[in-house]
Amino acid sequence: MLRFILHRLLVMIPTLIVVSIVIFIVINLPPGDYLSNQIAELRATGQEAGLAKAEFLRREYALDRPLPEQYLVWIGLWPGPNGFNGLLQGDLGWSFEFNKPVAEVVGETLWFTVILNVAAVLFVYLVSFPLGALAAIRANSWVDYLAATIGYIGLATPNFLLALILLYYGQKWLGLPIGGLVDAQYENQPMSWAKLGSILQHLIVPTIVIGLSGTAAMVRRLRANLLDELGKPYVVTAKAKGVPPLRRLTRYPLRMALNPFVSDIGSLLPSLVSGSVLISVVLSLPTIGPALLEALRAQDIFLSGFILMFISLLVLVGMLISDIALALLDPRIRLGKARKAQS
Amino acid sequence: MLKVEGLTIRFRNAPVDRPVVDGVGFSVGAGQSVALVGESGSGKTLTCRSILDILPRGAEVAGGSILFGGGPEAVDLLRLPRSGLRDIRGSRISMIFQEPMSALSPLHSIGDQTMEVLRLHGHCNRRSARDQCLAMFERVGFPDPQRAFRSYPFQLSGGLRQRAMIAMAMVARPQLLIADEPTTALDVTLQAQVLALIKELQAETGMAVLLVTHDLGVVANMADAVVVMRAGRVMESGCCADVLGRPLHGYTRKLMAAAPSIPEMTCAIPASGAEDAILEFHDVAKTYERGSTRVRALDGIDLSVRRGETLAIVGESGSGKTTMARLAMLAERPDPGGRLLFRPSAGQPPLDLLSAAGPELTAYRRRAQMVFQDPYASLSPRMSVGEIIAEPLAIHGVCGRGEGRERVRALMAQVGLDPAWACRYPHAFSGGQRQRIGIARALALDPQLLICDEPTSALDVSVQAQVLDLLESIKQRLGLSLMFISHDLAVVARLADRVAVMRAGRVMEQASPAVLFSAPLHPYTRALIAASPEPDVSRPIDVATVALGAGAPDLWPEPFRPTPDGAPPPLVEAAPGHFVRGHFARRAA
């Protein structure tokens, strides 16, 4: 098992390298870059002073060199003007748009993004699991229809609309806070229980909004899987052994139906991350979503490059987690290699 | 012990309101074994499933009673509350299913699943449950019980899987074991051993056995009493020797007549002297690579199909017989070094199939056609029968549309189908009729060579007999050469002019059926013959012979054993036309 995890971790390295190359190429595809745009603008308006600074930044971040070299400098495999100083060394680069180091721009929002997405994934799983299982066991009963209805609403309603509705009624009936990450009084204060409570309160609406469509899809999938498994001969065997109904369900078909459920973590994460960009804008949440949008619009290459890398890493970690969970759950995957060797 | 009376089962929402099991009654005494026999659709499986209330969705018991237990303690299983029935399931009545692979959970180790039975019924604590399981694993013949305990079903071979299933059913020492086609999915030699195991366990524990099977040979070997079912009704029942020896009901007689058995043959047919082979295999080998492992599916095959004869290739699963069919069809290419020769007509120079290309190859594909094993999977459900049969004509551009329609009608008549059915789709046909469609399609191009890969193994016995008759008459009429692949010696004995017995990718013995079945030399051939169950109570399976021949080659008697370095002995002509793999002095030609 340890070897399996180690192997998967090693495989992640070349994947990340390929991803970084693709990202770098993609963000450099539009003609020009932030600095050359700025320099042109400064020239046009005759601000020669700013020009010197722009030229300085251009050299400082090796933007005057050929693209492959730029890439290596960005990663930190090639000496830039100040020696090796790239992602590998922990220097995320300079955000031209915000005129700050990228690390400062992203800062806390990074962690909030992770927290929000993990919360959304947990929401998806915690809600869809019992709902999907119930819908399958009581197929064509009111539970099934209710789950289907909620699912279709979740799939069909535009997320931002849902967000606005939930915000309004959440505030009106439950006194939930509107927008932002934390109440104003706690901002710039050290972490405390009260602050944590405030953050959690603020998380409720975004989590539901971001997770709902994923939940809807997941409920349908679990229902279909479980319905298939319920008719399998090994369930009959369990019945013939005298296994009581609840134990029969949880021990056999439910575990089998869990497989696709778990393997979805990997594909769930990216859709959540990209889906949360718009929500973050609507709810004015300090996630990296809005920053990414702004960075891409302004061709702020270091900022957008880093954010894309971060999301890719998130996805890879999600896939790693789902692979490990699958191997733990299913001996056929865990022992698959050994079987091939035997036959 | 068990008394079933007036059992009626019907399907809810069935279009025709006719019970699928109608007033079935029989009884099983303590320590007795009773066989429920019938063809598919006879309701035998539904009957046995209703005992444990594990009917498929939609089926329900409409009437009758199932009394279980002796004397005053007898309970009616159909009227027992659920919890009461759960206490009986697995502990007092247990069941073995046909497909151990799907009937065992793939996510739990064998030990886990077996132990669950004991734990559920509160027989003992974890530790002694484990000990009992290990003892049971050893009893059912696992070489390493500890390892079996930890194994998952997919790590075991088919035979061991069924042993695990038996261990699971037996571990709580039930009073009644229901075995639903327990050996249908197994090779004959495995079947013989598993049946012997059930019998031994029965003798040890004194349990009753209710055996559900379609195979009268299995019945003759296992049962004290027989219940013959057809279309949900009992046709005949009684003591096994009586029913099989002097069947009274017409249906039982029909079943007996159709039951394949190896006939007594003594007269030796002289081998034809002239070597006019239509298809020749010369030193053909085939290796499959799966990841880092290599599997030698065929090794050093030298065989020829003579013009106008039926060459049967017999072997168990994994012997490489289907690979031979695929190579003969050029669906796959053998390893470099071997040669495949095809002689379109006598005296002509042979065509080297492996170097053939273009029109030569197309011509060969017209001359050699295949009949597949599974008539359900090998016909496209989206094409009508007429389209299916006409497709080869269109591909090879043999004839126009109108002419093609005539040809389809003629072909359908030839295989015994009503030509008016040409516009129907395959789902409207029974298994036997579908196989006829498959044969008609194979015949469409006027082939010279027909390769049949287990054409009857998916069919009921009575239908199997008809399809074999059809193949035989077509071969006679059209002068075809047949390469007939089968695992069933009885089928082969009926049809073949020469038989090659294969094991693990090699030919073990080759002779005419008369010689092979009356005087087999090789221990593996003997095991195969001994393992075929005969519907005759006076000729039980000789398990010792089976175990010896089906066991490891190192344990075979001297001349057949591989050399110390693992190389198999050569194939030697022991008598004219009779080849066997063994260290014999080569006969002077």
Side-chain angles (χ1 to χ4, degrees):
Chain A
M1 194 61 207
L2 240 142
R3 281 189 56 183
F4 172 79
I5 296 174
L6 208 70
H7 175 79
R8 296 302 314 232
L9 282 173
L10 284 178
V11 169
M12 275 172 75
I13 294 172
T15 317
L16 268 181
I17 293 176
V18 172
V19 166
S20 69
I21 295 176
V22 172
I23 287 175
F24 191 78
I25 292 174
V26 168
I27 57 180
N28 274 298
L29 272 183
D33 56 52
Y34 184 85
L35 280 181
S36 53
N37 288 350
Q38 205 185 23
I39 290 168
E41 199 183 307
L42 290 175
R43 275 226 179 88
T45 52
Q47 298 174 346
E48 296 296 322
L51 212 77
K53 194 191 172 201
E55 282 295 341
F56 166 75
L57 282 176
R58 206 173 147 80
R59 269 195 310 283
E60 180 73 9
Y61 288 96
L63 293 182
D64 49 350
R65 307 192 191 185
L67 273 184
E69 215 171 298
Q70 274 188 40
Y71 168 73
L72 291 173
V73 171
W74 176 54
I75 296 293
L77 292 173
W78 195 271
N82 303 318
F84 291 95
N85 202 6
L87 291 182
L88 289 178
Q89 285 79 22
D91 184 345
L92 310 181
W94 184 266
S95 166
F96 305 111
E97 173 76 9
F98 294 95
N99 223 350
K100 282 194 281 193
V102 169
E104 263 179 47
V105 177
V106 185
E108 276 203 336
T109 64
L110 218 56
W111 298 115
F112 187 69
T113 309
V114 173
I115 290 171
L116 182 62
N117 281 303
V118 169
V121 169
L122 282 180
F123 173 80
V124 168
Y125 278 67
L126 289 181
V127 174
S128 62
F129 186 71
L131 214 54
L134 264 179
I137 300 157
R138 302 254 176 277
N140 303 324
S141 72
W142 65 268
V143 185
D144 190 11
Y145 296 136
L146 183 72
T149 312
I150 294 177
Y152 289 133
I153 292 176
L155 277 176
T157 319
N159 274 350
F160 65 90
L161 184 65
L162 197 67
L164 293 176
I165 295 172
L166 278 182
L167 274 186
Y168 178 72
Y169 286 104
Q171 166 71 21
K172 197 170 165 191
W173 291 338
L174 304 171
L176 289 179
I178 294 181
L181 165 66
V182 72
D183 283 343
Q185 59 194 33
Y186 295 111
E187 258 177 59
N188 303 320
Q189 277 194 12
M191 186 56 98
S192 65
W193 285 111
K195 183 173 179 181
L196 189 71
S198 167
I199 294 180
L200 287 180
Q201 262 191 0
H202 280 85
L203 270 178
I204 294 176
V205 170
T207 304
I208 294 177
V209 172
I210 296 172
L212 199 58
S213 65
T215 308
M218 205 61 115
V219 166
R220 303 308 293 168
R221 201 139 53 220
L222 183 67
R223 176 183 181 273
N225 283 331
L226 194 54
L227 267 184
D228 268 1
E229 293 298 331
L230 282 175
K232 291 276 172 72
Y234 65 86
V235 183
V236 178
T237 309
K239 197 173 176 188
K241 277 203 294 200
V243 187
L246 186 67
R247 185 184 159 88
R248 193 159 74 217
L249 177 79
T250 49
R251 194 169 137 89
Y252 295 103
L254 205 56
R255 259 194 78 182
M256 284 289 268
L258 226 53
N259 256 8
F261 201 66
V262 169
S263 60
D264 267 353
I265 298 176
S267 58
L268 198 61
L269 265 180
S271 67
L272 288 185
V273 173
S274 55
S276 67
V277 173
L278 200 59
I279 305 302
S280 296
V281 175
V282 172
L283 299 183
S284 69
L285 293 173
T287 67
I288 54 175
L292 174 64
L293 208 61
E294 190 57 29
L296 285 175
R297 216 179 42 73
Q299 293 193 346
D300 190 350
I301 57 167
F302 291 129
L303 184 58
S304 51
F306 169 73
I307 293 176
L308 290 174
M309 277 303 284
F310 179 74
I311 293 174
S312 313
L313 188 71
L314 215 59
V315 172
L316 285 181
V317 170
M319 282 165 106
L320 178 72
I321 292 172
S322 79
D323 279 355
I324 292 173
L326 267 187
L328 285 177
L329 267 178
D330 193 336
R332 286 170 299 179
I333 294 171
R334 188 167 64 236
L335 303 169
K337 281 228 160 83
R339 174 173 50 155
K340 260 183 219 153
Q342 271 173 15
S343 61
Chain B
M1 167 76 30
L2 183 79
K3 198 166 162 64
V4 176
E5 276 176 341
L7 181 70
T8 304
I9 300 173
R10 57 176 81 233
F11 275 102
R12 262 169 276 156
N13 315 329
V16 192
D17 192 29
R18 202 186 72 83
V20 276
V21 171
D22 192 1
V24 166
F26 59 91
S27 63
V28 185
Q32 207 190 10
S33 30
V34 173
L36 280 180
V37 193
E39 298 189 281
S40 49
S42 61
K44 56 189 193 303
T45 294
L46 285 177
T47 303
C48 81
R49 293 203 160 196
S50 67
I51 296 170
L52 285 182
D53 187 25
I54 47 173
L55 289 172
R57 224 176 263 190
E60 61 182 3
V61 174
S65 66
I66 300 175
L67 292 175
F68 176 66
E73 291 158 37
V75 285
D76 187 347
L77 295 180
L78 294 177
R79 280 161 193 83
L80 214 55
R82 275 158 190 257
S83 64
L85 189 57
R86 267 208 299 281
D87 289 339
I88 291 180
R89 285 178 187 154
S91 74
R92 295 176 66 196
I93 305 180
S94 64
M95 190 153 174
I96 308 174
F97 297 90
Q98 176 171 357
E99 263 294 342
M101 185 61 186
S102 51
L104 290 170
S105 162
L107 299 181
H108 300 84
S109 68
I110 302 287
D112 189 4
Q113 295 186 54
T114 309
M115 219 159 69
E116 187 181 25
V117 180
L118 292 175
R119 303 281 295 147
L120 272 174
H121 297 289
H123 287 298
C124 46
N125 61 23
R126 217 178 156 75
R127 197 186 177 79
S128 79
R130 192 184 152 87
D131 290 343
Q132 282 188 46
C133 287
L134 288 175
M136 187 47 80
F137 283 148
E138 186 158 11
R139 181 63 201 83
V140 299
F142 275 100
D144 183 353
Q146 297 276 355
R147 196 175 148 184
F149 194 87
R150 289 191 308 266
S151 299
Y152 291 93
F154 61 85
Q155 292 174 312
L156 302 175
S157 66
L160 283 183
R161 252 180 241 145
Q162 195 55 291
R163 282 173 199 267
M165 189 91 224
I166 292 173
M168 198 168 88
M170 291 297 303
V171 74
R173 307 268 158 186
Q175 291 153 299
L176 173 66
L177 177 72
I178 304 172
D180 185 2
E181 304 261 10
T183 55
T184 308
L186 302 178
D187 281 328
V188 269
T189 55
L190 280 175
Q191 160 168 303
Q193 294 172 44
V194 166
L195 291 179
L197 173 67
I198 294 177
K199 233 173 164 175
E200 284 167 32
L201 288 170
Q202 183 182 16
E204 271 170 39
T205 61
M207 63 177 177
V209 173
L210 178 61
L211 179 75
V212 175
T213 181
H214 67 281
D215 189 338
L216 288 172
V218 171
V219 173
N221 273 282
M222 296 291 292
D224 303 317
V226 192
V227 179
V228 182
M229 286 183 66
R230 182 194 192 187
R233 288 202 175 83
V234 175
M235 294 287 120
E236 182 169 3
S237 66
C239 157
C240 187
D242 286 348
V243 174
L244 297 188
R246 291 179 301 279
L248 295 175
H249 196 280
Y251 179 67
T252 318
R253 276 196 216 125
K254 213 182 104 198
L255 270 186
M256 285 295 287
S261 69
I262 301 171
E264 307 270 354
M265 285 185 284
T266 42
C267 61
I269 305 158
S272 62
E275 267 289 308
D276 174 22
I278 185 164
L279 186 70
E280 289 177 46
F281 287 75
H282 283 291
D283 197 24
V284 170
K286 176 75 191 168
T287 312
Y288 289 104
E289 288 190 20
R290 216 179 285 158
S292 56
T293 52
R294 312 177 72 194
V295 182
R296 196 112 219 210
L298 283 182
D299 200 355
I301 298 290
D302 279 297
L303 265 181
S304 55
V305 186
R306 293 182 197 143
R307 193 172 308 283
E309 80 161 359
T310 303
L311 171 69
I313 294 170
V314 185
E316 304 196 307
S317 50
S319 61
K321 52 193 196 304
T322 295
T323 308
M324 275 195 70
R326 296 178 62 84
L327 290 182
M329 289 303 297
L330 293 180
E332 279 179 76
R333 303 239 149 205
D335 294 347
R339 291 210 304 156
L340 272 174
L341 299 180
F342 174 69
R343 208 174 263 107
S345 59
Q348 272 191 357
L351 168 70
D352 186 347
L353 289 176
L354 296 179
S355 59
E360 275 179 339
L361 196 60
T362 313
Y364 173 67
R365 295 210 189 274
R366 273 184 71 171
R367 300 247 167 72
Q369 287 293 323
M370 183 139 172
V371 178
F372 294 93
Q373 173 170 12
D374 186 346
Y376 295 89
S378 60
L379 300 177
S380 165
R382 285 173 191 78
M383 287 166 75
S384 73
V385 171
E387 287 167 350
I388 289 173
I389 300 176
E391 193 182 27
L393 299 171
I395 289 173
H396 289 270
V398 177
C399 48
R401 228 156 217 262
E403 205 183 330
R405 217 167 289 141
E406 275 312 298
R407 180 100 181 94
V408 167
R409 295 176 70 84
L411 282 166
M412 286 184 73
Q414 199 168 29
V415 297
L417 292 172
D418 188 340
W421 295 341
C423 51
R424 296 192 186 176
Y425 287 82
H427 68 82
F429 293 87
S430 68
Q433 288 171 326
R434 285 176 198 225
Q435 201 54 294
R436 284 169 195 269
I437 299 170
I439 293 171
R441 199 221 43 224
L443 292 176
L445 290 168
D446 275 330
Q448 293 173 313
L449 175 65
L450 210 55
I451 295 163
C452 307
D453 186 4
E454 303 256 18
T456 58
S457 61
L459 306 176
D460 277 332
V461 274
S462 58
V463 182
Q464 164 172 314
Q466 295 164 12
V467 171
L468 290 179
D469 282 342
L470 172 69
L471 277 173
E472 214 160 16
S473 75
I474 284 174
K475 185 203 147 202
Q476 296 293 339
R477 222 171 337 141
L478 304 177
L480 295 177
S481 312
L482 240 63
M483 188 165 140
F484 191 91
I485 290 163
S486 177
H487 69 279
D488 191 336
L489 286 175
V491 168
V492 164
R494 216 179 123 164
L495 216 67
D497 297 314
R498 276 190 313 139
V499 184
V501 179
M502 291 193 53
R503 181 184 179 280
R506 289 169 199 277
V507 175
M508 289 290 137
E509 189 164 2
Q510 183 192 332
S512 66
V515 174
L516 194 76
F517 295 132
S518 59
L521 288 174
H522 200 282
Y524 180 68
T525 317
R526 287 186 183 177
L528 276 185
I529 295 172
S532 318
E534 310 234 358
D536 181 349
V537 277
S538 60
R539 287 191 302 180
I541 294 171
D542 175 5
V543 182
T545 310
V546 175
L548 175 72
D554 292 331
L555 301 176
W556 287 342
E558 181 35 52
F560 306 102
R561 224 176 278 171
T563 51
D565 60 355
L571 199 62
V572 178
E573 188 164 21
H578 188 173
F579 297 84
V580 65
R581 199 171 278 281
H583 296 286
F584 293 103
R586 202 173 282 267
R587 263 177 53 102

